[in-house]
Amino acid sequence: MGCESNLRHWIILIFFSMKIKHFYRSWVYNQYTLTAEDIDTAAGMLPDAQEDILGMLYEGNLIGIELPTTVSLKIVETAPAIKSASASSRTKPATLETGLLVQVPEYLADDELIKVNTSTRKFSSRA
């Protein structure tokens, strides 16, 4: 048997503590820890208490994560919304709750929840 026999995938829950991410298998309360460096570019896509993360375990150790297609993130800072803006209008930069900077339509404002495509790291839709 190859190493695939020891590789397991589990849905895990994420919690943040500074720059360390704590992952839990919620039904058994096992805790796994990865640093922001361990998960590299995924760090900006992971809000606190994200529930649909796929964890890859090898011999009981969390070796990586797989993100869902989209994640819902809150806009924490952007220019004021322009009421006359339409869905096909120009975009503006927005900082999200994780610190990720994305371009969003001009009609969106602070505290709105949006979906971000995890592959492209771009705005997908309102959540």
Side-chain angles (χ1 to χ4, degrees), residues 69-95:
T69 304
T70 61
V71 291
S72 296
L73 298 169
K74 187 191 320 185
I75 297 173
V76 294
E77 185 179 350
T78 192
I82 298 175
K83 298 291 182 200
S84 62
S86 69
S88 61
S89 291
R90 297 178 303 198
T91 61
K92 61 184 179 180
T95 303

Side-chain angles (χ1 to χ4, degrees), residues 69-75 87 94 96 102-105 107-109 112-118 120-127:
T69 304
T70 61
V71 291
S72 296
L73 298 169
K74 187 191 320 185
I75 297 173
L96 306 181
V102 297
Q103 293 291 316
V104 298
Y107 60 83
L108 294 174
E112 290 198 57
L113 205 56
I114 64 168
K115 287 187 178 182
V116 177
N117 181 302
T118 56
T120 62
R121 301 173 68 88
K122 293 183 179 182
F123 170 82
S124 177
S125 67
R126 276 186 164 145

Side-chain angles (χ1 to χ4, degrees), residues 3-85:
C3 68
E4 291 89 25
S5 64
N6 291 326
L7 183 63
R8 301 285 185 256
H9 291 83
W10 299 98
I11 300 296
I12 55 178
L13 178 65
I14 180 173
F15 287 99
F16 289 90
S17 173
M18 302 296 281
K19 290 188 175 193
I20 296 175
K21 302 344 176 218
H22 301 282
F23 298 88
Y24 296 87
R25 285 177 43 199
S26 56
W27 63 95
V28 291
Y29 301 103
N30 290 0
Q31 179 179 337
Y32 307 95
T33 304
L34 295 174
T35 65
E37 292 78 28
D38 291 336
I39 56 177
D40 196 29
T41 58
M45 306 299 288
L46 296 170
D48 195 19
Q50 178 75 31
E51 295 183 3
D52 52 353
I53 303 298
L54 188 62
M56 293 171 278
L57 300 175
Y58 180 71
E59 295 184 353
N61 297 308
L62 182 64
I63 60 170
I65 60 170
E66 202 172 299
L67 296 173
T69 304
T70 61
V71 291
S72 296
L73 298 169
K74 187 191 320 185
I75 297 173
V76 294
E77 185 179 350
T78 192
I82 298 175
K83 298 291 182 200
S84 62

